[in-house]
Amino acid sequence: MNRIHLPITRAALACVAVAAFAPKASAQLVSASAASVALGDNYTALARGFNAINWNPAGLGMPENPFFSFSLGGRGAAGTDPISFGDVAKYSGITVPQAVLASWLSRVQQQGGQSLEANGAGSFALSVGSFGFQLATNAYERGKLSPDAVEVLLYGNAGATGTPRTMSLKGSRTEAAVTTTAAASFGHGVDIGIGPLTQHLAIGATVKYIVGNALLIGEDAGSQIQANPLALDVQFPIIQSDTSLTGMPQRGHGIGFDVGAAWESGPLALGASIQNLVNTFKWNVSEMYFRPGGALFTTSGTRQTSFGAIAMTAVPDSLRARAAALGAEVDAMRFKPMLNVGASFKLLPFLTTTADVRQELGDGMHLGERTHVGAGAELRLIAFLPLRAGLAAITGGYVASAGAGLEVAFFHLNAGIAARKTEYGQYPSAAVTVSIGQ
């Protein structure tokens, strides 16, 4: 039995694993409050103050809008599927039983690969009267290993059967990005009296400037571990925005424009917004770098690598097709319009329900779920201790969430947690915000 245990081959396999599980990055505005996470991100009709900048700028013109609000917050999520972090942690420092390895591999084969998804965001937001400002940085990473790549990592080149065979790593991929967005919003409302009923109507708009700080995309183009003769042939081309990161680089930029409307009468409130009604953001592909991602290792002594970075404007003809394919993929990473419609209803003085429907209108840069239908509720049996929960059906899965807050005078502390299942797998997420005025 001829398993791969040569140090040089192990190093090459590590390169493939690192390429498929690079650190994560992402884009545009994020919710400035953990309350929205706790409600399952069903927040379009409730957003006021600094929250309105992201959700619906018309909220800045509604009666409940605070004169001043300020928030510092962050949210993040990470997970792997179908082999989870928890699965691996159980066997830290000990040998994984063969039956467990076989179960892991079976799950990976059924799902078509092993996925990783992670994201993180930080936000500073404030509102004064009908005006709001937000600065947010987002990061995400999505990676995938093919079933054969996972089998090699679990068992070596002899695989689960113990008999060497040719393994294909094709289908492995990584995508990561970091963006920063500055936004300014304004909302204006009017009161309309119809008999004994008073209705409130508001419209609003947000102008955004988006900067692309970092980007990396790599996709396997046919890597193989050959059984006879034994050899490792890596083909994993990569396009990246920089060869090193210093400060806050700009490798893409553009302007975005959101609009919104809100209406309220008695216990019922409605809201609607279109995010990215206009958005000119584009990555500067010509300023990026291409790595061929090639390597060949054989038992006969062949050692060939081609991982050096090449400016996209200087890629040789022999590599131009692969570089152009990745460049076209980056060029298509734009922000498409997103339609949000929400409603909230105060069932009781201490119980408010909310519901949202969202749909991305197009197929652009994938920053979150493209479709969302959900509902949430906030319970205030104790006025300064709100309890929240939410549930939503999203693209490829669901979101189930819960959270709580503490409100003392103008000081607010909110936290939310959520279990998410997406087309990339299952993973937990969490958010915490400290705010004043809301």
Side-chain angles (χ1 to χ4, degrees), residues 50 53 124-127 131-135 182-185:
F50 59 76
I53 304 165
F124 159 79
L126 66 86
S127 70
F131 295 89
F133 173 79
Q134 183 174 2
L135 181 66
S185 300

Side-chain angles (χ1 to χ4, degrees), residues 269-305:
L270 304 176
S273 67
I274 301 178
Q275 297 173 334
N276 301 314
L277 178 65
V278 176
N279 198 302
T280 65
F281 177 84
K282 181 180 180 180
W283 291 99
N284 298 325
V285 178
S286 62
E287 298 179 2
M288 295 186 177
Y289 296 86
F290 174 74
R291 294 182 186 270
L296 180 62
F297 303 92
T298 69
T299 54
S300 63
T302 300
R303 305 287 187 270
Q304 298 176 0
T305 60

Side-chain angles (χ1 to χ4, degrees), residues 95-132:
T95 301
V96 182
Q98 289 296 313
V100 174
L101 291 177
S103 172
W104 287 357
L105 181 59
S106 176
R107 286 152 56 188
V108 169
Q109 290 171 337
Q110 291 175 12
Q111 187 162 298
Q114 171 74 8
S115 298
L116 165 71
E117 182 169 5
N119 62 70
S123 171
F124 159 79
L126 66 86
S127 70
V128 179
S130 298
F131 295 89

Side-chain angles (χ1 to χ4, degrees), residues 23-28 30 73-78 117-123 136-141 177-179 367 427 429-430:
K24 176 172 186 168
S26 145
Q28 281 208 297
V30 295
R75 61 193 296 176
E117 182 169 5
N119 62 70
S123 171
T137 295
N138 248 343
Y140 77 84
E141 199 282 336
V178 180
T179 63
L367 307 176
Y427 59 96
S429 61

Side-chain angles (χ1 to χ4, degrees), residues 129-219:
S130 298
F131 295 89
F133 173 79
Q134 183 174 2
L135 181 66
T137 295
N138 248 343
Y140 77 84
E141 199 282 336
R142 299 184 186 97
K144 185 172 184 179
L145 285 175
S146 70
D148 278 2
V150 175
E151 186 172 352
V152 169
L153 293 173
L154 293 177
Y155 292 98
N157 73 305
T161 64
T163 302
R165 65 180 179 85
T166 296
M167 300 280 199
S168 172
L169 308 185
K170 191 169 185 179
S172 300
R173 175 184 169 84
T174 187
E175 177 185 326
V178 180
T179 63
T180 298
T181 301
S185 300
F186 174 75
H188 179 70
V190 295
D191 294 339
I192 303 173
I194 302 178
L197 298 178
T198 299
Q199 302 182 59
H200 309 282
L201 178 66
I203 57 174
T206 298
V207 178
K208 304 174 288 189
Y209 181 69
I210 309 111
V211 173
N213 304 122
L215 176 74
L216 184 147
I217 295 179
E219 188 163 7

